[in-house]
Amino acid sequence: MAATSAATFSAGSTVAFGTKKSLATFSGLKAATFVKCESESSFLGKESSAALRGSVVPQAQKSNQKSQYHVNPQASYKVAILGAAGGIGQPLALLVKMSPLVSALHLYDIGNVKGVAADISHCNTPAQVLDFTGAAELPNSLKGVDVVVIPAGVPRKPVPIAAEVLKKKGVYDPKKLFGVTTLDVVRANTFVALKKNLKLIDVDVPVVGGHAGITILPLLSKTKPSVSFTDEEVQELTVRIQNAGTEVVEAKAGAGSATLSMAYAAARFVESSLRALDGDADVYECSFVQSDLTELPFFASKVKLGRKGVEALISSDLQGLTTYEQEALETLKPELKASIEKGIAFAQKQTVSA
């Protein structure tokens, strides 16, 4: 199971939120005072993009028979990336710097972060970039921050380590801690669109379970738009989605693992989190969270995000499963349960050692 610390999102944990603020925007890599909002250029699907337009772009004005959406160039939120000098952290920092929702970007790492911050700060998008190095500067990197993203960590550690660490510190809020699943959704959407010759921006495949091997369960029967699959296609797509990380490792000939797709997925989740914090009432993402949807204490499923984090766990995806999906769900539970228990033990051992 990939480390929770390597794919953790903490939303809205450090500041209170008041009235909705106007947002900055940019077109491509060029700062602008307005932008034509096209869903194809977003991290999000068609439905989420429409919701984003309605949330962050309050009104549209027609120009030359095409909609132009005008907003004031003032971003609203602060994001901290812990592990910003790493293989995921650097492209993630760049993508977050491009977000029209971000006013400040705090980049933290144990070393080599100043150069990353200097480089990214040259990009002419509104977010101010600050760098923080080492344990002594970690507290300052978190001050006033709305969303904390942690791509730092060692791969293939059990979960849920981050939750246990926060519990030990007395600051755990299950509504504000999110484990990686967006990467699996991004991959599922891509592979399904390619397989079925669909327009990628329209495709949404929920993924449940965990984030390693057979614990990753794409619910292909719940794909939007509705599409039929043969038994062979279901098997092929499910296995490819489950082994997508290995596919990248093999393609890189052992010289690395997935970093760019992970950064993209993390940036998409950051964008969704910020939209939710900003008051968008229609934000949904799949994430590994504390859950009561199954007998397991942690489980990945679609969640509704709001200003306080998780507003609801969406149970409908687990209803009306195909025989294949139901059997796969029952098969993954023992492995995920063992990984969760191993993660709890690992975190407790580390706490005792410290």
Side-chain angles (χ1 to χ4, degrees):
M1 183 66 65
T4 303
S5 61
T8 299
F9 306 86
S10 179
S13 58
T14 58
V15 296
F17 301 97
T19 57
K20 197 169 181 179
K21 300 177 182 178
S22 57
L23 303 170
T25 187
F26 59 90
S27 179
L29 294 177
K30 181 179 179 182
T33 56
F34 70 95
V35 64
K36 185 171 121 180
C37 291
E38 297 180 348
S39 60
E40 287 78 6
S41 65
S42 173
F43 292 114
L44 313 166
K46 182 170 64 176
E47 293 179 2
S48 295
S49 295
L52 174 59
R53 286 197 294 269
S55 170
V56 303
V57 189
Q59 63 178 4
Q61 298 178 359
K62 289 187 176 180
S63 174
N64 298 325
Q65 304 302 313
K66 293 185 178 180
S67 296
Q68 298 287 335
Y69 300 94
H70 299 263
V71 295
N72 294 327
Q74 297 177 14
S76 303
Y77 299 107
K78 296 182 179 180
V79 175
I81 298 176
L82 311 187
I88 297 172
Q90 291 193 45
L92 172 58
L94 175 61
L95 291 170
V96 174
K97 178 70 165 72
M98 295 170 64
S99 172
L101 296 159
V102 178
S103 61
L105 181 59
H106 292 188
L107 304 182
Y108 170 84
D109 216 314
I110 58 175
N112 304 318
V113 74
K114 289 187 179 296
V116 176
D119 197 357
I120 289 176
S121 71
H122 294 174
C123 301
N124 63 323
T125 61
Q128 179 188 20
V129 179
L130 297 175
D131 64 90
F132 303 85
T133 303
E137 295 186 9
L138 179 57
N140 285 335
S141 74
L142 300 175
K143 286 184 178 179
V145 168
D146 301 295
V147 174
V148 177
V149 194
I150 310 178
V154 180
R156 300 306 168 196
K157 290 293 183 186
V159 291
I161 296 171
E164 292 304 308
V165 171
L166 293 174
K167 287 178 184 178
K168 292 294 182 182
K169 298 295 184 180
V171 294
Y172 176 58
D173 184 345
K175 294 183 179 295
K176 294 182 179 180
L177 181 65
F178 306 90
V180 62
T181 298
T182 307
L183 176 58
D184 302 315
V185 172
V186 165
R187 287 166 166 167
N189 292 349
T190 300
F191 300 162
V192 167
L194 291 172
K195 187 70 175 179
K196 306 303 288 186
N197 195 29
L198 300 173
K199 188 176 181 182
L200 184 56
I201 200 68
D202 294 331
V203 178
D204 181 31
V205 182
V207 179
V208 301
H211 183 61
I214 66 166
T215 70
I216 302 169
L217 179 57
L219 300 179
L220 297 174
S221 69
K222 306 292 183 177
T223 298
K224 294 181 180 179
S226 180
V227 60
S228 61
F229 299 93
T230 66
D231 292 344
E232 291 75 16
E233 287 175 330
V234 169
Q235 174 70 16
E236 177 189 343
L237 285 167
T238 299
V239 171
R240 188 182 181 196
I241 293 163
Q242 291 173 340
N243 296 328
T246 301
E247 181 178 310
V248 175
V249 170
E250 292 177 349
K252 292 185 176 182
S257 58
T259 54
L260 301 178
S261 54
M262 182 66 246
Y264 172 85
R268 165 176 155 159
F269 197 95
V270 169
E271 191 88 358
S272 292
S273 298
L274 295 178
R275 287 170 48 217
L277 288 172
D278 201 54
D280 188 335
D282 190 32
V283 182
Y284 297 85
E285 288 284 354
C286 289
S287 183
F288 185 75
V289 297
Q290 182 173 312
S291 174
D292 59 5
L293 293 185
T294 71
E295 62 271 27
L296 300 174
F298 290 86
F299 190 79
S301 68
K302 188 175 292 182
V303 299
K304 186 179 190 298
L305 300 177
R307 280 184 166 146
K308 295 183 179 180
V310 176
E311 288 192 348
L313 304 175
I314 308 304
S315 61
S316 58
D317 285 338
L318 295 177
Q319 300 168 3
L321 299 179
T322 66
T323 300
Y324 178 90
E325 291 168 343
Q326 189 62 53
E327 291 176 352
L329 176 60
E330 296 307 315
T331 300
L332 73 81
K333 286 180 181 179
E335 183 159 333
L336 184 54
K337 180 176 183 290
S339 184
I340 291 170
E341 292 173 349
K342 187 176 179 181
I344 292 173
F346 177 86
Q348 292 175 343
K349 181 179 179 181
Q350 296 301 307
T351 301
V352 171
S353 299

